Amino acid sequence: MAEPRRDGPVDLAAELRALGGWLDTPEPPDLRPAVRARLTADEPRVRRLPSFRPLPGVRWLPSLRRRWLVAAAALLVALTLAVLPPGRAAVAHAVTGLLRFAGIEVHRGQPSVGPTPNPTPSPLPSIRSAALDEARRQARFPVLVPARLGVPGEVLLADPAGDGAPRVVSLVYRGGVRLDEFDGRLEPGFVKSMAGPQTEWYEVAGRPALWLPDPHVLEYVDRQGVRHTETRRLAAATLVWTDGTVSYRLEGAPSAAEALAIARTLA
Amino acid sequence: MLVARHSAFAHRTAWLLGAGDDAEDVVQEAFVKAFRRLRLYRGDSPFRAWLLAIIGNETRNLHRSRSRRDGLALRAAALGGPGPEAPDLPGDAALAAERRATLLDAVRQLDERDRDVVVCRYLLDLSEAETAQVLGWPRGTVKSRTARALVKLRTRLSAGLSREVPHG
C-alpha cells in the first residue's frame, strides 16, 4: 500500500499535538491532606539525613522549613483545580471513558461501583421559579422553547451570577420531561453524569448530540467548578447538545427519536 | 501559580502514561518525594522536568508492580465522536472528531515504548529533553524512537485517510 505523502511528518506531529488538547484527564483530586500528613509524618526521617542536621542555634530552620513545605503542598493542591484545562465546548473524548461534551462531563463505568444518588436530592443552587418572559430578560443567553413541547409548565432559574443572570434555565414539562439550558460559554462544566457504558451519537442542526439511553447519576457543578454532591440524583434518559454557545440537556424523552424530534423544534 | 501548573500537569502526565486510576497515588507519591528531596534539587534542570522525572519513575514502578498495564491510559475506551448511528454526520467538527478518534486509535495500537514517546512528545507536548527525563532514556533514543513511531503511525493511518485531506 502506498504511503500518502500529503500527510507529512510536520502535519502528523501537529495533529498529534492538537489531539493532546482534546484528551481530557480527570481532575486531580485534593491530595492536600494526604501529602500534608505524609510530609509531617516523614519529618523525623528527613531530619536524620546527615546533610540536613541542624546546627545548634539554628534549630528553628527545620520547623520553618517543614512549615514551608506543608504550606507549599497545600498551595499546590488548592490551586490545581483553578488551572485545569477548561471543559471543551465541542466533542472531546477521553482515553479512559471520561467524556466532556457541551458542558457535561460523562464518566462511564460500571454503574454498580459508581456513586449512589441521594434519596432526597437538593435542587440546583439558588433555584427559583419565574415566568418565561422574566427568564428571557434575566438570562445572558437566548432562552429557547421547543415547539414540539410548547409552553413549559414551570420555568426555573438557578445559580445566578452577581447581577442575577441565571447560569441554568430549566423548562419543566409534565411527565418528567425537562429541558435544561445552560450558558455553555461559562467554564467549567455544568453537570457530571455517571453513566453506564451506553452512549450514542446523533445530530441536531448539524452538530453532534449525545444520547444517554440509560438512567444515570447526575450532579451539578457550579461556576467555581465545585461539585454539588447534594444535588446528586438519578436522571432519566437524556439528550445533550449545543448550538455553540448554549448547551441543552433534555431529560425524560421516551426515546432517542422523540428527543431528537423535540430538539429539532427548538426556536 | 507556576507550582500549581506543575501539579495539574503532573497528574495529566501520570494519567496519559498509563497510571490510570492510580494516577492519584502516583502524583501523591511524587509530591512527597519531590518535597522530601527538595534540598537535593539544584535548579540545574527546570523544576517541571525534575518533577516529571519523578512522575515517570513512579509510573514505571507502578507498571512493574502490575501483571499488565491494565490501567493503560490509551486502553480501549468507548470513543466519543460520531458513531455508526450517524455515518453521514455533516460538518467539519464531526469530521475532525472522527479523525481524532482514528488518530487516537492508531496511537493506542503502537508498542508500549513507541506509545510512551508519542504520548510525551506530542500529546503532552514535552521537549526531547523532558521526554528523556520522564522516560529515563538517553536523548538520542528519544529522537530515534520518535521518528520511528511517527513512521509507524503514518503507515497505520494511510489506510484510513481516504476520506480526509489534512488542511494546510
Side-chain angles (χ1 to χ4, degrees):
Chain A
M1 192 184 300
E3 206 177 300
R5 280 294 154 201
R6 64 189 174 193
D7 185 31
V10 176
D11 285 342
L12 185 55
E15 257 194 299
L16 285 167
R17 284 201 180 91
L19 176 66
W22 287 89
L23 298 178
D24 278 311
T25 44
E27 296 179 10
D30 187 358
L31 295 173
R32 183 175 37 188
V35 172
R36 185 194 292 132
R38 290 188 53 190
L39 284 176
T40 311
D42 283 345
E43 189 57 22
R45 196 190 313 163
V46 173
R47 276 196 206 158
R48 276 199 298 275
L49 284 178
S51 62
F52 200 61
R53 187 172 293 140
L55 297 170
V58 287
R59 284 200 167 271
W60 52 271
L61 259 178
S63 74
L64 190 70
R65 179 166 196 115
R66 186 187 68 183
R67 259 179 235 166
W68 183 84
L69 288 178
V70 172
L75 184 70
L76 259 178
V77 189
L79 291 180
T80 299
L81 295 178
V83 296
L84 277 170
R88 318 280 163 188
V91 183
H93 56 254
V95 280
T96 52
L98 175 80
L99 171 68
R100 279 188 184 167
F101 172 70
I104 69 152
E105 217 179 87
V106 182
H107 298 251
R108 277 170 295 191
Q110 292 303 318
S112 54
V113 297
T116 49
N118 286 327
T120 52
S122 304
L124 300 192
S126 308
I127 200 159
R128 69 184 178 92
S129 190
L132 188 58
D133 285 351
E134 189 194 347
R136 287 186 160 138
R137 276 197 307 275
Q138 294 264 320
R140 293 207 192 99
F141 53 90
V143 175
L144 304 182
V145 174
R148 194 176 175 90
L149 291 179
V151 178
E154 190 176 17
V155 179
L156 298 170
L157 314 184
D159 203 0
D163 64 357
R167 187 165 180 248
V168 184
V169 174
S170 303
L171 311 185
V172 183
Y173 293 90
R174 289 168 55 162
V177 177
R178 69 181 285 151
L179 176 65
D180 294 328
E181 305 189 5
F182 159 68
D183 189 346
R185 288 164 301 188
L186 297 177
E187 301 292 354
F190 151 44
V191 290
K192 281 189 191 227
S193 297
M194 274 58 78
Q198 289 303 312
T199 52
E200 294 163 14
W201 288 93
Y202 295 94
E203 173 263 315
V204 172
R207 289 171 182 272
L210 179 66
W211 172 246
L212 304 173
D214 302 317
H216 52 277
V217 178
L218 185 77
E219 75 184 23
Y220 183 68
V221 181
D222 70 19
R223 47 182 93 225
Q224 275 78 42
V226 176
R227 297 168 56 178
H228 286 252
T229 51
E230 77 279 4
T231 66
R232 206 176 264 174
R233 67 180 177 87
L234 198 61
T238 297
L239 183 72
V240 180
W241 73 102
T242 175
D243 65 7
T245 53
V246 184
S247 297
Y248 301 96
R249 188 185 160 279
L250 175 68
E251 179 184 341
S255 65
E258 177 61 22
L260 288 164
I262 293 169
R264 285 167 184 154
T265 63
L266 199 67
Chain B
M1 247 358 225
L2 265 177
V3 185
R5 266 178 221 284
H6 293 317
S7 161
F9 199 78
H11 194 264
R12 185 172 168 81
T13 303
W15 183 271
L16 289 185
L17 280 177
D21 296 337
D22 291 318
E24 174 181 348
D25 294 339
V26 166
V27 175
Q28 182 189 324
E29 190 66 31
F31 277 149
V32 171
K33 284 193 174 158
F35 285 127
R36 229 189 261 158
R37 295 181 206 161
L38 206 52
R39 79 196 62 83
L40 303 178
Y41 169 66
R42 290 157 189 260
D44 49 1
S45 67
F47 181 81
R48 177 169 104 145
W50 182 70
L51 184 68
L52 290 182
I54 301 177
I55 299 276
N57 199 35
E58 288 301 317
T59 310
R60 274 195 300 281
N61 288 345
L62 182 73
H63 292 327
R64 266 198 290 274
S65 71
R66 287 173 175 167
S67 52
R68 61 200 168 91
R69 291 180 70 165
D70 57 347
L72 203 61
L74 303 175
R75 69 192 165 185
L79 283 177
E85 300 84 4
D88 54 350
L89 199 62
D92 291 348
L95 211 59
E98 195 178 316
R99 171 65 177 172
R100 282 193 295 275
T102 310
L103 205 55
L104 183 62
D105 220 38
V107 173
R108 219 161 40 199
Q109 284 168 24
L110 288 173
D111 297 339
E112 186 173 319
R113 284 163 65 87
D114 289 331
R115 191 173 49 220
D116 281 348
V117 82
V118 167
V119 165
C120 285
R121 283 291 279 125
Y122 300 116
L123 300 190
L124 291 165
D125 205 10
L126 299 180
S127 69
E128 261 176 20
E130 285 174 322
T131 302
Q133 276 201 283
V134 171
L135 299 179
W137 301 352
R139 203 161 154 177
T141 308
V142 171
K143 207 181 177 75
S144 56
R145 185 60 76 160
T146 306
R148 216 178 313 159
L150 279 185
V151 169
K152 285 184 192 170
L153 270 182
R154 213 168 295 130
T155 309
R156 291 226 163 102
L157 289 167
S158 60
L161 278 177
S162 52
R163 282 182 54 204
E164 290 136 342
V165 180
H167 40 95

